[in-house]
Amino acid sequence: MDRFRVVGGARLVGTVKVSGAKNSALKLMAASLLAVGKSKITNLPAIADVEYMAELLTRLGCKVEIDNIAGEVTIDVPKELGHRADYDLVRKLRASINVLGPLITRTGRAEVALPGGDAIGSRGLDFHINGLAEMGAEIKLEHGFIIASAKQALRGALVILEFPSVGATENIMTAATLAQGVTTIENAAREPDVVDLGEFLIAMGAKISGLGSHTIKIEGVSNLNPATHATLPDRIVTGTWAFAAAMTKGDITIENGRADHLEMPLDKLVEAGAVVTTTENGFRVKMDKRPVAVDVATLPYPGFPTDLQPMVITLNSIADGTSIVTENVFEGRFMFVNELIRLGAKIQVDGHHAAITGINQLSAAPVVATDIRAGAGLVLAALVSDGITIIEDSFHIDRGYPDFPKQLQSLGADVTRV
Ligand code: UD1
């Protein structure tokens, strides 16, 4: 099992390039199921999850070719599709749930294993299920599967989401593309990943308006065509580099980084003392002093992303002052705080609030990555610790950050895979 060995103390300086977003690429791949023929997704990140999604699509009958050098995948979707996503893949890849919408609307049948809870919380699927039911799908939960069927085409409906869930918005939007009539999603997620998926669907011939707003309208069409689409740059990876610069008193230029997708986190970094400037095709974060503690509450986009919460807690743990970080999206996200406390951080958790008292430096110790973002947060923490930190279960980090040790080395850090 791989681990990361991080020697603390480096100032990160240089340029990194951000590739396509994991949370977009996987959804784009799943959405290709909507049209018979060859769709192509470019600007793919080189991560294992892409291979798992390829495996799932292959089991559904597609011919999938990944070109790792070009960073592209071609998915040839047959007329007759399978309809089952098994537990062995769904548990590895939560985004497997995104085949539910395309399968039910195209084939009238979908059986997707329930993913269960994970390290960041319970992660319900009730909004997905209720939304599809409003559109006429019959849904039951049996033997650990969501079993959905529709005797006739789904019909357009008004779907009001209780919370602007990313996954539910995506499944309902994809299902609605081939439904009869107009579907309106109220309280829809506004995340750039949802917009990216919507733009791919439009390129396939879908009729969608309101992307990026609270109300998305989809007018069903009878048929979609395959299309080619470039995945948008990963805003969480981009944000991680921005925090890394601010925490290590560094100076990082992030190529392909979309500052417009990170307004709230970058505002917080500026409040902490960083200087953020735009560059020709990205932006640059520079810091020459100890950060000042910042209060943060995670919220759906355009609020502060829950996926960057470990990074801001880590920054606050070495900042000047005390702060409160409030987690409003996933209740389990504070699990990694115990690992940070092993590195000497002074943090008290009470319900969904964490109170952090900044100290000058963290103290290296062995720690365990519990999920992708917690793992990346621990790498940043290790960079500002004295001595050598070993991070166990680093495979989690590889799922979201292609070649992380190599990129960190290129910025002057001593990080190796052991
Ligand atoms: C996606 C991202 C994840 C990110 C999250 C929020 C992927 C693979 N993952 O997750 O990295 O942190 O968006 O930006 O894209 N909920 C329900 N019932 C539902 C659906 C959601 O109760 O049917 C709850 C969840 O438990 C959670 C909240 O709503 O508390 C938000 O979840 P959601 O936005 O759906 O996140 P994901 O799509 O799972």
Side-chain angles (χ1 to χ4, degrees):
M1 196 70 92
D2 276 6
R3 305 158 176 188
F4 287 176
R5 176 183 183 275
V6 183
V7 182
R11 186 172 170 254
L12 300 191
V13 178
T15 300
V16 283
K17 197 170 177 175
V18 174
S19 55
K22 170 180 94 76
N23 287 351
S24 230
L26 302 171
K27 290 29 172 337
L28 296 167
M29 289 175 72
S32 68
L33 290 171
L34 288 165
V36 177
K38 275 189 190 173
S39 280
K40 190 191 235 185
I41 312 298
T42 63
N43 197 29
L44 269 192
I47 52 174
D49 284 15
V50 166
E51 315 269 345
Y52 297 144
M53 183 56 85
E55 164 74 18
L56 172 54
L57 298 178
T58 304
R59 287 194 205 171
L60 290 169
C62 304
K63 279 202 193 95
V64 186
E65 275 174 39
I66 299 179
D67 179 342
N68 276 320
I69 294 162
E72 293 176 358
V73 60
T74 307
I75 302 154
D76 194 353
V77 180
K79 204 154 180 255
E80 295 297 323
L81 269 178
H83 55 264
R84 198 175 158 93
D86 281 313
Y87 183 52
D88 64 324
L89 276 175
V90 180
R91 66 186 293 196
K92 279 199 266 196
L93 179 70
R94 207 193 146 79
S96 304
I97 190 74
N98 271 63
V99 302
L100 180 61
L103 285 181
I104 182 72
T105 202
R106 233 208 80 191
T107 70
R109 199 168 166 199
E111 295 181 6
V112 179
L114 285 162
D118 59 22
I120 64 174
S122 63
R123 306 186 82 174
L125 293 171
D126 45 335
F127 309 155
H128 304 238
I129 291 170
N130 296 344
L132 294 174
E134 306 255 18
M135 298 171 72
E138 273 177 43
I139 301 185
K140 48 188 184 179
L141 302 182
E142 239 173 47
H143 306 298
F145 275 81
I146 300 173
I147 300 187
S149 60
K151 288 193 188 75
Q152 296 145 0
L154 296 181
R155 47 175 196 269
L158 169 65
V159 178
I160 304 173
L161 295 177
E162 201 176 305
F163 185 91
S165 152
V166 174
T169 303
E170 291 169 337
N171 257 330
I172 295 161
M173 179 169 72
T174 47
T177 56
L178 293 175
Q180 266 171 11
V182 176
T183 299
T184 305
I185 310 174
E186 291 284 6
N187 200 22
R190 299 163 66 189
E191 267 72 0
D193 337 5
V194 175
V195 177
D196 200 34
L197 174 61
E199 283 169 356
F200 177 50
L201 298 173
I202 290 170
M204 295 170 95
K207 291 194 174 147
I208 302 177
S209 62
L211 290 171
S213 80
H214 291 302
T215 307
I216 301 179
K217 269 198 170 41
I218 308 107
E219 192 186 328
V221 295
S222 56
N223 179 48
L224 293 173
N225 300 310
T228 294
H229 185 85
T231 314
L232 92 170
D234 197 309
R235 94 196 132 97
I236 305 302
V237 173
T238 305
T240 303
W241 290 122
F243 274 90
M247 284 177 55
T248 63
K249 297 190 184 119
D251 182 355
I252 304 182
T253 299
I254 308 159
E255 254 183 61
N256 295 345
R258 293 275 303 258
D260 58 327
H261 289 166
L262 285 164
E263 278 183 19
M264 188 66 78
L266 295 181
D267 279 354
K268 290 291 171 185
L269 286 180
V270 170
E271 196 183 319
V275 177
V276 179
T277 45
T278 49
T279 59
E280 204 176 313
N281 56 355
F283 65 97
R284 174 179 174 189
V285 181
K286 190 168 183 275
M287 182 78 149
D288 48 23
K289 51 178 187 263
R290 182 179 173 196
V292 176
V294 287
D295 291 335
V296 161
T298 66
L299 281 172
Y301 188 85
F304 191 97
T306 172
D307 284 356
L308 288 176
Q309 181 251 84
M311 295 39 159
V312 77
I313 291 193
T314 307
L315 174 123
N316 280 334
S317 67
I318 52 135
D320 185 7
T322 56
S323 55
I324 304 275
V325 172
T326 304
E327 173 57 55
N328 292 313
V329 183
F330 288 115
E331 78 278 5
R333 270 252 143 102
F334 282 148
M335 262 181 40
F336 100 106
V337 164
N338 293 322
E339 298 301 305
L340 214 49
I341 290 173
R342 286 184 44 75
L343 298 175
K346 290 206 159 46
I347 308 176
Q348 259 190 324
V349 172
D350 183 6
H352 64 134
H353 304 288
I356 306 134
T357 306
I359 56 172
N360 261 313
Q361 194 178 33
L362 297 174
S363 148
V367 286
V368 183
T370 46
D371 72 85
I372 306 176
R373 310 302 168 189
L378 288 172
V379 172
L380 301 196
L383 287 169
V384 291
S385 296
D386 65 336
I388 298 171
T389 297
I390 301 291
I391 302 170
E392 306 262 0
D393 290 355
S394 57
F395 65 90
H396 284 298
I397 307 169
D398 291 326
R399 286 188 51 207
Y401 296 82
D403 262 343
F404 206 34
K406 219 174 172 180
Q407 283 192 299
L408 286 159
Q409 284 160 20
S410 77
L411 297 171
D414 185 347
V415 180
T416 43
R417 195 185 285 279
V418 290

